[in-house]
Amino acid sequence: MSYPGYPPSGGYPAFPGYPPTGQESVYPPAGQYPYPAAPGGYPPAAPPAAGYPAAYPAPGGYPGATQAAGMPPYPGAPAGSGFGVPPAGPAFGGYPQPPAQSYAGGGPAQIPGYPGGQAPSPMPGPPAAMVQSTQGTIRAAPNFDAGRDAEILRKAMKGFGTDEQAIIDVVANRSNDQRQQIKAAFKTMYGKDLIKDLKSELSGNVEELILALFMPSTYYDAWSLRHAMKGAGTQEKVLIEILCTRTNQEIREIVTCYKAEFGRDIEEDIRADTSGHFERLLVSMCQGNRDENQTVDYQKAQEDAQRLYQAGEGKLGTDESCFNMVLASRSFPQLKATVEAYSRVANRDLLSSIDREFSGNVERGLKTILQCALNRPAFFAERLYHSMKGAGTDDSTLIRIIVSRSEIDLVQIKQMFTQLYQKPLAAMISSDTSGDYRRLLLAIVGQ
């Protein structure tokens, strides 16, 4: 596998970064709870559920730590059905809990902890009307002409000075695939490497951002992982952010690209740079073997919840391998059902149990997996918020997430950002960045 112009001579600026892809529905992924789809994903945008965070998420939960109350009843729910009534026990992970349901009739044996004492049979995914499709802020430009765009970029860099706005207008309004075509056309037309020319004309954060935009998505992931482990020290948050959020196909492509481009085995690099239960979690993630069946098996969710409780809260010490097995292998819809079952079994949400039983990077990795199962756009919205919160800006994280989600679900991430922090993502970017860097970020994000 080769990518034109990668890696260019001289290398890239040393910024810790990454990205992902994958078309995944936002919460609720399995549709078993009767809430109509809301534009901002879960929870419904209006009226907000009581207990949903109005600003910065509390440290004990994600993203918030209070139980929702008074969830609106589902239109048309039969009287006494329990639809719209929050179940007893703490809210899982700080998200408002889905309503309790009654399961009448025969079926499975009585199981303690389930509403009505019965576990429902496995159910298929949601009807099409209830699925919230993901959407990026950048889409392929219509009437695309790679040669014309290459000419625009050449003129923007030719002679004295650089027309940064012309460069921004092109790169922020083309898909990644179209940028690869522009790069190839530039070399064909002018016999020069576009990436080298851009590096010679730009500097700082805007250079880092534009180079990231011109990297093929899979290469950007692989490159980011390599630089997170290269040299002294390891950027564990980058490893978690990529390996714990990608689809099976994306991970397998990253592993293949990593080997082809850097001549190294990613699993061996992980083993050399990490250790213990964190190492084992990342190695599990590298296999790209998570179950992708979208059907939720509630019986298995109950069994997994019991297993996790007995491996943690229900015993002295922690059986880390049990947590690794469940969180690394179950589908995201199945994990969401397990989180819900756990709150009934343990009278505590699973994220807070992981807080109590684990620490450090393995804790962050396990929580990232669960947060993506509950609400992936909210997870990335939280990461963006923390990249800009307080003094200074974590520009590499900001760039990495904006670029990597720009064609996947940045629209939903923006909606969740506003819902969680009561301010638009674009407003926070405007107040935290400046110059051409700010203009390019805002062009990608959209107002």
Side-chain angles (χ1 to χ4, degrees), residues 71-92:
M71 293 296 286
Y74 179 64
S81 66
F83 286 69
V85 181
F92 57 89

Side-chain angles (χ1 to χ4, degrees), residues 13 162 164 197-211 436-437:
T162 305
E164 288 88 354
D197 278 12
L198 288 169
K199 283 172 64 65
S200 68
E201 297 290 329
L202 305 169
S203 61
N205 290 323
V206 71
E207 176 191 357
E208 180 178 328
L209 177 53
I210 286 182
L211 293 184
D436 294 322
Y437 178 46

